[in-house]
Amino acid sequence: MAEGNSSHRRSAFSPGLAVLLSGDEAKISPQKTHLVSYHDEIGHQSVERTIEHILDLPHKSVVRPLGPINAVFVHSVLRNQARKFDLDWDNYIRGYHGSVLIVDKGAGQSKVVLDDSSICGKFRSVRGPLLVESSAPFSSARANACVWKGKWMYEVTLETSGVQQLGWATLTCPFTDQKGVGDADDSYSFDGRRVTKWNNDPKPYGQPWTVGDVIGCCINLDAGEISFYRNGTSLGVAFDGIRNVEPRKGYYAAISLSEGERCHLNFGSHPFRYPVDGFEPMEAPPRSWTFMTYLLRCLFRLLEVQNLEKSESAYFEKLRRVKKFAPLQELSRPISEAICAEIFSAIQVSQGCLEYIAWGSLTTLLLDVFRAREPHDFSCLDQVLDLFLQFPGSTSLFQELIVALSCMCKAAPLVLTECPYSGSYPFLVLVCQLLRHKDVMRLWWNSEDFAFSFEGFLTRKIPNKHDLQCLIPSVWWPGSSEDEVSMTLTMTTLSDAIKKVNFPCLSGDFAIEEMHHELCSLVICFIPPVSPPQPPGSLFRSFVQSSILKARGGDHRMVVNGTFNNTVLVSLYTVILHLLSEGFSMDSSGSASSSKGNCGNVVGFLHKGGKRRFPTQLLFRNDAYYSVIPRIGGSPSILMHSQFDDVEDEVQWDEGCMDDEETCVTPVSYTHLDVTDLSLFPQAFYFMSQQSQSISLLEETDRQIREKSCAEQVRRLKEARNSYHEDLVDCVRHCVWYRATLFSPWKQRGMYATCMWVVELLLVLSDSKIIFQYVPEFYVESLVDCFHALRRSDPPFVSPAVFLKQGLASFVTLVVKHFDDTRIVNPDLKDLLLQSISVLVQYKEFMLVFENNREAINRMPRSLLSAFDNRSWIPATNILFRLCKGSGFASSKNGEPSSSATFQVLLRETCIHEQELFLSFLNRLFNTLSWTMTEFSMSIREMQDKHQVADLQQRKCSVIFDISCNLARILEFCTREIPCAFLMGPDMNLRRLTELVVFILNHIISAADAEFFDMTLRRPGQHQEKTNRTMILAPLVGIILNLMECSSTSEHRELNDVIAVFASMDCPATIHFGLQYLLSYNWSNVLRGDASLAKLAQLEEFSHYFRRITMAADDQEEHSQNKGDEEEDDTCCICYNCDSDATFQPCHHRSCFGCISRHLLNGQRCFFCNAVVTSVTRIADS
């Protein structure tokens, strides 16, 4: 009874010739084969026989009337047929009412909707009563219809993919703000987000769902079973043995949605997308639907006969050899008008018939007439349009048809074997041809659902993990034992299938993207008939802006991840990039014409050179769209109060155009910038980077499994390997999908040109203090995202030499110039720029760009020291570590040169010449390293006490340990390059350094189980040399040796005594043990040559001196005790090591000068009474 999917729809309009043409003529009875000639000569059929075929009437049932065969005659025949359909309907509806109870809730006695009285929470109607969204934390509702016997179903199309519980419930199921469908007895639901079925208690069931999935919810009351379907595929019986209920007190369709979740319910108001055999819709189809379906079939047969002679298909060619019908030049018009008149008459008298037919039989008719596959029949479709548009009711019908096609695009599945004609392609190519008709375009624009349906056409259905497993069953990667041949065939099939057909100049695109381009071109060229007249593109621009507002939450609604709107922005970005890259123009009639037919002559805007201009007034607009865009300088509402009358209206700069296709770099106009606030390929490049990491982890894990002998360690490694293998397989599938669907050379060139234009624009605008503050934040965010996406593109879209020379140089100038810019208010934006530097300096070739960049040379060392604050210290640490890498003790195992000798010199000079900045940085460095080592030590001890290693805690330990090692290396660099900061003047820095070295050393060697320590740091599969205590011990040795070397070679006599400071600590035994531990540690894996042995000899000498001094001090202390010295104890109560030789003013509390000075670095209050300290007085001075 319900309409099926597209594969079933085609058979619904088969003219009855398939059996004849298949060679099964002998099996057909004479009564049904009225296409076979009853004359001696083939090719001589009467008008009566032709009408019988068109109207699907029995043979010789039409008798020629006394008068002419006109519309009146055809009307009479059709009315006789209508009475037969009415009789069948009456028989059906009697059985229907015996199993379904519908309570009228204002929508009509036969309409099934959500019952407002059952709602707990709050639902918002997005379009009509059945497209709903939860605007409360948790909302539940039942439908206004229940069933108690038979087999019933309804469908739910997911507009979001979050927590939704879909199913059935009785009236006894209570709904609260915490409990919904499936959380009580006689209540059953399925949640694809959590892949769980619910009936009081959750249990695993089904498949994960994604946006656009159609979930069929079926209840078989005869068998006592409930089952669910995903896109027509059964997920199995979810519940059996459900309780029988009394008549008229049955099970209600029910849903529960989390906040922001949205779905489209179909209880039978239009044909099911995926009907299940034997299951009926809860809402009966409209009375006239079978008769209208019959009328549309008649119209299809009429068109078929009309176009029989000109058709080029083999199907019709064979038919012409079998039979010719009578000429229809005079009969086609009265027959077609009579059929359409009956259609629109039935729509007027039958409630809900318009929606049902538009979503079902009419869509099927147009797809069959136009042909979903190429070659398309444009002329035949135009015939249908011209015919329907003659009738007054056609406006509403076509508006509903466009909405139906839009929703079908959302739910269209991608089937690999049918590419490129699968997915949304059939619906997109059909609607593009419909909208080329000016009247259809105008009525679409007049529709309230214009924006809603436009969004639907631009959606992209992204497959989830389960879908990719079906599309790409086998995977392969270099070095794997998987089936490479099968993987290659799948990749080739997928890539080739989705390429465009008959579009050679853009062979890298796929058909759906081309349809998006055609549709948007039609909208751009449409000029709304309003006063005052609007320029072409105004309608498209308004839609783009509203889409961006939705994505940002500018319409004051909650933004939910996984919504259709995210893919709409991706489609819009691609369309605009295509128009600017490949060219766009309008012909004399005002219709769009792309470069498709003239690929060699049309040059897109992106590939044209000349002077660049940007209207600065665009940044100062304060309308609904621009007022919600965050700016670099702060909130727009605050900035707009500033005066900017003297700001120039336009900025200009020169940028050349390159002739070489490989290095074609040109700008994009400011109209494109309005849609750059989206990340085009973030997920794609995440999976690509994750794939290489997973391969490395898997290979290292396999190596460790082969080398380990402990059964417990092998077991843990194998468990980790299974997890890594599963993650890698998923990454490979995602990479295959994204490479096949998202990447093409023209897109990458266009993105590259866009990035370069935005970089130059921002550099020009940054020269103006006022204008730069008004730049939207998304200019910078999108630039960084796109740049790193292009940097990691595989395969590269441009040669590395060109990328380094042109792209990276300008980008480096921008990020270095502004990561510490005080005009940028948002700290997240500064962190983004700083993180970009952190990523780039990891690569030697990119480091060379920094070393040759004037801005980096002049600004970066000082800015990095300034950025090392409470928020940005992690990326700043990573950058400083990369710059200093290779210069410390045991850091040149393979003779690797330092990452940047240039920046090491620059950092040294900056620290020496800007002492206040350096001392502030050094203080934060001491505090941060002390904190990270404390956190690390506490985590280690906690896991040792529990005798187990939790994965999350292990990750935390590993991350904190890496950061601590980097900080220690930076501190080692400071002692090597700026030793005077520790050895000259007050000894506070030297004492803090000594305490920190002892503190770290004590925490490292106090771990009783060395194997447990190393295992804690290293997750299974990680390289051993990167995760052991050598990483933290080596910089400690380097610090001691640097100080000793400087003390021995310096000519200054007033240097602080390093050994004496170590000896003054109150734990000489601990220090001695630590030094012996360092001397006995196995350095063979990291040290090579005589120079390294000499360094260890220096450390041993330091240990001997320390031991002699501490022994002498012990003897002196013992001698003092024997004398019975009873002098007053004036020791500092903070460190218990020095005399209390200073006082706070004005509170007069006493402590040693070193403790007081250190405390005042981080606060200006007395640590005894919390009074504000105005000064510090030395007792000796007073």
Side-chain angles (χ1 to χ4, degrees):
M1 177 169 294
E3 292 289 339
N5 55 24
S6 58
S7 63
H8 296 135
R9 290 196 192 99
R10 184 170 298 279
S11 62
F13 286 110
S14 173
L17 304 176
V19 179
L20 176 64
L21 299 178
S22 65
D24 296 333
E25 295 91 340
K27 302 178 182 179
I28 307 173
S29 62
Q31 289 76 14
K32 294 183 179 179
T33 59
H34 43 265
L35 298 179
V36 180
S37 174
Y38 285 84
H39 297 276
D40 294 335
E41 296 181 9
I42 295 179
H44 298 280
Q45 282 288 347
S46 65
V47 173
E48 294 85 1
R49 305 293 84 78
T50 302
I51 294 176
E52 289 171 0
H53 166 66
I54 293 171
L55 302 183
D56 197 21
L57 301 173
H59 180 59
K60 292 187 178 181
S61 61
V62 176
V63 180
R64 180 183 290 271
L66 297 177
I69 298 179
N70 53 21
V72 176
F73 173 76
V74 177
H75 271 297
S76 64
V77 175
L78 293 177
R79 292 316 305 162
N80 287 332
Q81 291 294 97
R83 284 189 284 272
K84 298 178 182 179
F85 286 104
D86 287 342
L87 182 61
D88 293 338
W89 170 260
D90 292 337
N91 294 331
Y92 165 78
I93 204 65
R94 280 194 293 269
Y96 172 83
H97 285 309
S99 304
V100 179
L101 172 64
I102 300 177
V103 180
D104 186 2
K105 293 296 181 179
Q109 294 182 349
S110 61
K111 298 296 293 181
V112 180
V113 294
L114 290 181
D115 184 356
D116 292 341
S117 63
S118 71
I119 294 177
C120 177
K122 186 177 181 181
F123 285 103
R124 183 179 74 92
S125 295
V126 179
R127 180 186 183 270
L130 297 179
L131 180 52
V132 295
E133 178 183 292
S134 172
S135 52
F138 194 66
S139 303
S140 303
R142 279 182 290 266
N144 64 330
C146 67
V147 293
W148 55 88
K149 67 177 180 178
K151 299 163 69 176
W152 306 92
M153 70 174 292
Y154 69 98
E155 282 187 338
V156 181
T157 302
L158 304 178
E159 298 263 336
T160 58
S161 57
V163 174
Q164 304 183 37
Q165 295 173 208
L166 314 174
W168 305 85
T170 63
L171 288 174
T172 61
C173 172
F175 291 156
T176 69
D177 58 351
Q178 298 292 329
K179 294 186 177 182
V181 186
D183 295 326
D185 295 333
D186 297 333
S187 177
Y188 308 89
S189 69
F190 165 57
D191 177 5
R193 177 59 181 266
R194 294 173 286 189
V195 198
T196 303
K197 61 180 180 180
W198 298 79
N199 176 233
N200 275 324
D201 297 322
K203 294 181 181 179
Y205 172 79
Q207 301 171 1
W209 60 31
T210 186
V211 177
D213 280 348
V214 179
I215 306 301
C217 305
C218 302
I219 184 169
N220 184 347
L221 293 164
D222 298 334
E225 295 176 344
I226 292 177
S227 56
F228 297 90
Y229 289 73
R230 177 177 179 245
N231 300 326
T233 301
S234 175
L235 303 180
V237 175
F239 306 99
D240 54 12
I242 62 174
R243 186 172 64 88
N244 294 326
V245 290
E246 300 176 7
R248 308 176 72 83
K249 294 182 180 180
Y251 287 91
Y252 293 78
I255 62 170
S256 295
L257 309 181
S258 295
E259 187 171 10
E261 295 300 319
R262 181 191 295 186
C263 64
H264 186 201
L265 304 168
N266 178 20
F267 299 110
S269 58
H270 52 79
F272 286 143
R273 184 71 177 157
Y274 300 100
V276 179
D277 290 341
F279 287 83
E280 300 291 339
M282 299 184 68
E283 178 181 324
R287 183 182 186 88
S288 301
W289 85 274
T290 52
F291 178 56
M292 290 189 66
T293 301
Y294 161 77
L295 292 174
L296 291 171
R297 289 174 181 168
C298 293
L299 183 60
F300 178 78
R301 284 189 288 269
L302 173 62
L303 294 169
E304 180 184 71
V305 173
Q306 276 184 304
N307 295 277
L308 199 58
E309 293 297 333
K310 67 178 182 180
S311 176
E312 297 179 357
S313 70
Y315 181 77
F316 292 121
E317 180 66 28
K318 190 171 183 180
L319 177 61
R320 283 201 296 269
R321 293 197 304 266
V322 176
K323 184 58 56 190
K324 272 194 175 183
F325 295 103
L328 291 177
Q329 287 81 0
E330 298 179 358
L331 293 178
S332 60
R333 185 174 183 85
I335 295 176
S336 60
E337 290 183 351
I339 292 174
C340 287
E342 289 292 334
I343 290 174
F344 286 101
S345 174
I347 288 176
Q348 291 179 354
V349 300
S350 180
Q351 181 187 12
C353 197
L354 182 144
E355 178 183 357
Y356 200 90
I357 294 302
W359 286 71
S361 302
L362 181 59
T363 299
T364 307
L365 168 70
L366 296 179
L367 286 173
D368 281 350
V369 167
F370 184 59
R371 301 190 194 124
R373 296 173 177 265
E374 293 188 344
H376 303 296
D377 194 339
F378 297 97
S379 62
C380 194
L381 182 63
D382 290 338
Q383 282 182 270
V384 177
L385 284 179
D386 293 336
L387 179 62
F388 274 76
L389 289 172
Q390 297 175 16
F391 294 85
S394 61
T395 298
S396 300
L397 181 62
F398 277 106
Q399 287 177 341
E400 187 65 32
L401 171 67
I402 292 174
V403 172
L405 293 174
S406 169
C407 293
M408 290 175 187
C409 284
K410 294 180 181 181
L414 182 63
V415 182
L416 181 62
T417 56
E418 297 179 5
C419 285
Y421 306 109
S422 63
S424 59
Y425 175 81
F427 312 110
L428 284 170
V429 71
L430 174 60
V431 79
C432 285
Q433 183 60 24
L434 292 175
L435 295 176
R436 288 189 179 95
H437 200 292
K438 292 184 178 180
D439 292 335
V440 179
M441 186 70 193
R442 188 177 296 109
L443 65 86
W444 183 38
W445 167 73
N446 274 321
S447 169
E448 296 178 353
D449 298 313
F450 171 78
F452 171 80
S453 54
F454 198 3
E455 284 183 4
F457 290 126
L458 295 176
T459 57
R460 298 170 179 234
K461 188 170 184 181
I462 306 299
N464 60 18
K465 182 177 180 179
H466 181 270
D467 300 329
L468 286 175
Q469 185 176 358
C470 297
L471 281 172
I472 311 170
S474 58
V475 299
W476 176 88
W477 58 89
S480 72
S481 58
E482 311 294 334
D483 186 1
E484 179 181 3
V485 176
S486 178
M487 167 68 176
T488 305
L489 287 175
T490 303
M491 176 67 179
T492 304
T493 303
L494 182 62
S495 300
D496 293 343
I498 61 179
K499 287 181 179 179
K500 287 185 178 181
V501 285
N502 300 325
F503 199 180
C505 71
L506 290 176
S507 58
D509 289 347
F510 59 100
I512 292 177
E513 277 192 0
E514 172 58 15
M515 290 302 102
H516 286 163
H517 164 245
E518 292 293 335
L519 177 63
C520 291
S521 299
L522 291 169
V523 176
I524 291 173
C525 296
F526 175 70
I527 302 177
V530 296
S531 182
Q534 299 179 4
S538 58
L539 182 62
F540 180 73
R541 184 184 181 90
S542 299
F543 174 77
V544 170
Q545 292 178 346
S546 64
S547 299
I548 295 173
L549 283 176
K550 283 186 179 181
R552 297 190 191 125
D555 56 355
H556 306 291
R557 290 195 300 106
M558 178 181 177
V559 179
V560 180
N561 291 328
T563 59
F564 276 126
N565 196 56
N566 297 330
T567 62
V568 170
L569 289 181
V570 173
S571 298
L572 288 172
Y573 184 97
T574 305
V575 165
I576 295 177
L577 196 63
H578 178 268
L579 295 177
L580 294 172
S581 176
E582 308 306 319
F584 175 79
S585 61
M586 289 189 298
D587 56 28
S588 58
S589 63
S591 60
S593 62
S594 68
S595 59
K596 174 167 59 175
N598 194 15
C599 298
N601 300 326
V602 177
V603 178
F605 181 86
L606 286 173
H607 307 298
K608 295 178 182 178
K611 185 173 286 294
R612 305 302 162 211
R613 296 179 175 86
F614 180 82
T616 58
Q617 294 304 315
L618 182 69
L619 302 176
F620 301 116
R621 294 177 61 177
N622 196 26
D623 54 26
Y625 169 70
Y626 291 94
S627 62
V628 298
I629 299 176
R631 309 303 174 94
I632 282 178
S635 171
S637 59
I638 298 176
L639 288 175
M640 291 306 172
H641 293 295
S642 306
Q643 298 293 327
F644 45 84
D645 297 334
D646 56 342
V647 174
E648 51 188 331
D649 295 335
E650 184 179 77
V651 294
Q652 300 182 10
W653 70 96
D654 293 318
E655 185 171 351
C657 177
M658 302 184 182
D659 297 329
D660 184 8
E661 181 179 357
E662 183 187 23
T663 60
C664 184
V665 181
T666 44
V668 58
S669 69
Y670 68 86
T671 56
H672 171 63
L673 293 177
D674 292 341
V675 296
T676 55
D677 56 336
L678 62 106
S679 299
L680 186 61
F681 301 133
Q683 291 181 330
F685 286 103
Y686 165 77
F687 283 110
M688 289 181 179
S689 60
Q690 192 70 18
Q691 176 179 330
S692 59
Q693 297 177 15
S694 299
I695 292 175
S696 177
L697 281 174
L698 195 64
E699 292 175 348
E700 178 64 19
T701 305
D702 288 337
R703 185 186 67 82
Q704 292 185 27
I705 290 175
R706 292 192 299 268
E707 295 176 355
K708 293 291 182 181
S709 58
C710 176
E712 177 63 21
Q713 292 182 358
V714 171
R715 184 189 64 81
R716 292 183 69 251
L717 286 169
K718 288 184 176 180
E719 290 178 356
R721 187 195 185 282
N722 293 335
S723 176
Y724 294 152
H725 184 271
E726 184 179 351
D727 293 343
L728 178 56
V729 169
D730 186 43
C731 284
V732 172
R733 287 196 174 108
H734 277 91
C735 290
V736 170
W737 169 259
Y738 284 122
R739 284 193 179 100
T741 56
L742 291 183
F743 297 105
S744 59
W746 76 264
K747 282 182 188 175
Q748 294 180 344
R749 288 198 309 271
M751 290 174 62
Y752 182 53
T754 303
C755 286
M756 293 305 98
W757 190 86
V758 175
V759 166
E760 295 298 332
L761 171 66
L762 292 176
L763 290 175
V764 171
L765 294 180
S766 66
D767 293 335
S768 171
K769 179 179 180 181
I770 296 178
I771 300 179
F772 187 71
Q773 291 179 324
Y774 288 83
V775 172
E777 288 184 355
F778 69 75
Y779 279 35
V780 179
E781 295 168 348
S782 300
L783 170 65
V784 173
D785 288 341
C786 289
F787 177 85
H788 287 292
L790 292 168
R791 178 181 62 81
R792 294 177 292 180
S793 61
D794 181 21
F797 74 101
V798 70
S799 66
V802 173
F803 183 71
L804 292 174
K805 180 180 179 181
Q806 297 175 11
L808 190 58
S810 300
F811 183 77
V812 165
T813 300
L814 179 71
V815 296
V816 168
K817 189 175 181 180
H818 296 294
F819 79 84
D820 200 33
D821 193 337
T822 56
R823 293 176 295 178
I824 300 179
V825 176
N826 187 355
D828 291 334
L829 206 58
K830 292 183 179 181
D831 285 350
L832 183 66
L833 298 175
L834 200 60
Q835 189 63 38
S836 294
I837 300 176
S838 176
V839 171
L840 293 175
V841 295
Q842 298 181 44
Y843 304 95
K844 184 177 180 180
E845 59 273 20
F846 293 162
M847 180 65 78
L848 294 175
V849 179
F850 280 86
E851 292 178 347
N852 295 319
N853 187 278
R854 186 175 59 184
E855 288 289 340
I857 294 295
N858 295 335
R859 290 176 176 266
M860 198 162 76
R862 190 183 193 286
S863 297
L864 283 174
L865 296 180
S866 300
F868 193 84
D869 55 19
N870 292 332
R871 178 184 176 87
S872 305
W873 65 273
I874 292 181
T877 298
N878 293 334
I879 297 171
L880 289 170
F881 169 71
R882 294 292 175 182
L883 299 180
C884 304
K885 187 177 71 170
S887 60
F889 177 78
S891 62
S892 302
K893 174 183 175 181
N894 299 319
E896 177 189 0
S898 62
S899 289
S900 177
T902 301
F903 278 104
Q904 290 183 18
V905 172
L906 292 172
L907 282 170
R908 178 179 180 276
E909 293 177 352
T910 301
C911 293
I912 291 175
H913 292 101
E914 300 198 30
Q915 292 187 10
E916 184 177 353
L917 174 64
F918 173 67
L919 292 177
S920 176
F921 163 76
L922 195 59
N923 176 57
R924 293 193 297 268
L925 181 59
F926 283 143
N927 293 340
T928 306
L929 182 53
S930 176
W931 174 81
T932 56
M933 284 306 304
T934 301
E935 287 290 314
F936 170 73
S937 179
M938 290 175 62
S939 298
I940 285 286
R941 291 182 183 278
E942 183 178 350
M943 285 189 289
Q944 277 186 315
D945 293 340
K946 293 180 178 179
H947 301 287
Q948 61 181 2
V949 181
D951 186 64
L952 182 61
Q953 207 164 15
Q954 186 183 30
R955 291 184 184 183
K956 176 186 174 182
C957 270
S958 180
V959 170
I960 295 179
F961 181 75
D962 288 341
I963 294 174
S964 301
C965 294
N966 293 348
L967 290 169
R969 282 295 185 186
I970 296 172
L971 193 56
E972 180 189 9
F973 171 81
C974 293
T975 60
R976 182 173 65 87
E977 297 294 337
I978 315 105
C980 57
F982 307 91
L983 299 179
M984 299 182 64
D987 63 355
M988 182 182 63
N989 286 335
L990 180 58
R991 288 188 176 278
R992 294 189 69 184
L993 177 64
T994 303
E995 291 172 1
L996 192 58
V997 170
V998 174
F999 173 77
I1000 297 174
L1001 193 59
N1002 186 43
H1003 278 299
I1004 296 300
I1005 65 178
S1006 64
D1009 188 349
E1011 179 66 22
F1012 183 88
F1013 180 93
D1014 292 336
M1015 181 181 65
T1016 303
L1017 296 181
R1018 184 176 61 256
R1019 299 184 65 202
Q1022 289 185 325
H1023 296 283
Q1024 295 182 11
E1025 60 269 19
K1026 293 184 179 180
T1027 51
N1028 57 39
R1029 60 185 71 194
T1030 305
M1031 296 173 60
I1032 192 68
L1033 294 178
L1036 299 183
V1037 174
I1039 289 172
I1040 297 173
L1041 295 179
N1042 289 338
L1043 296 176
M1044 290 300 299
E1045 183 176 358
C1046 181
S1047 299
S1048 61
T1049 59
S1050 175
E1051 299 179 356
H1052 294 282
R1053 299 293 182 180
E1054 64 276 10
L1055 293 180
N1056 298 319
D1057 191 340
V1058 177
I1059 297 181
V1061 172
F1062 269 92
S1064 66
M1065 303 285 291
D1066 59 351
C1067 52
T1070 302
I1071 297 176
H1072 179 70
F1073 179 76
L1075 293 174
Q1076 294 302 310
Y1077 179 87
L1078 293 176
L1079 288 170
S1080 61
Y1081 189 77
N1082 182 16
W1083 299 99
S1084 59
N1085 292 329
V1086 292
L1087 294 181
R1088 295 289 187 273
D1090 296 336
S1092 300
L1093 297 177
K1095 289 182 178 294
L1096 289 179
Q1098 294 176 7
L1099 181 63
E1100 187 174 5
E1101 184 180 359
F1102 175 85
S1103 177
H1104 288 321
Y1105 279 127
F1106 174 80
R1107 184 61 177 166
R1108 285 168 50 189
I1109 291 176
T1110 54
M1111 290 178 65
D1114 291 342
D1115 293 340
Q1116 184 178 1
E1117 182 179 359
E1118 183 179 356
H1119 178 71
S1120 298
Q1121 290 177 354
N1122 292 333
K1123 289 180 63 177
D1125 188 1
E1126 298 180 358
E1127 296 181 0
E1128 180 182 358
D1129 185 13
D1130 197 23
T1131 305
C1132 172
C1133 62
I1134 301 300
C1135 65
Y1136 293 100
N1137 187 52
C1138 303
D1139 293 336
S1140 299
D1141 58 352
T1143 61
F1144 288 117
Q1145 299 296 336
C1147 61
H1148 301 291
H1149 284 110
R1150 299 176 60 180
S1151 180
C1152 70
F1153 186 76
C1155 290
I1156 291 179
S1157 301
R1158 187 182 310 175
H1159 171 72
L1160 292 180
L1161 290 172
N1162 302 304
Q1164 296 297 317
R1165 291 182 177 273
C1166 172
F1167 42 56
F1168 295 104
C1169 64
N1170 205 34
V1172 177
V1173 177
T1174 59
S1175 63
V1176 177
T1177 304
R1178 299 290 290 265
I1179 296 177
D1181 296 338
S1182 63

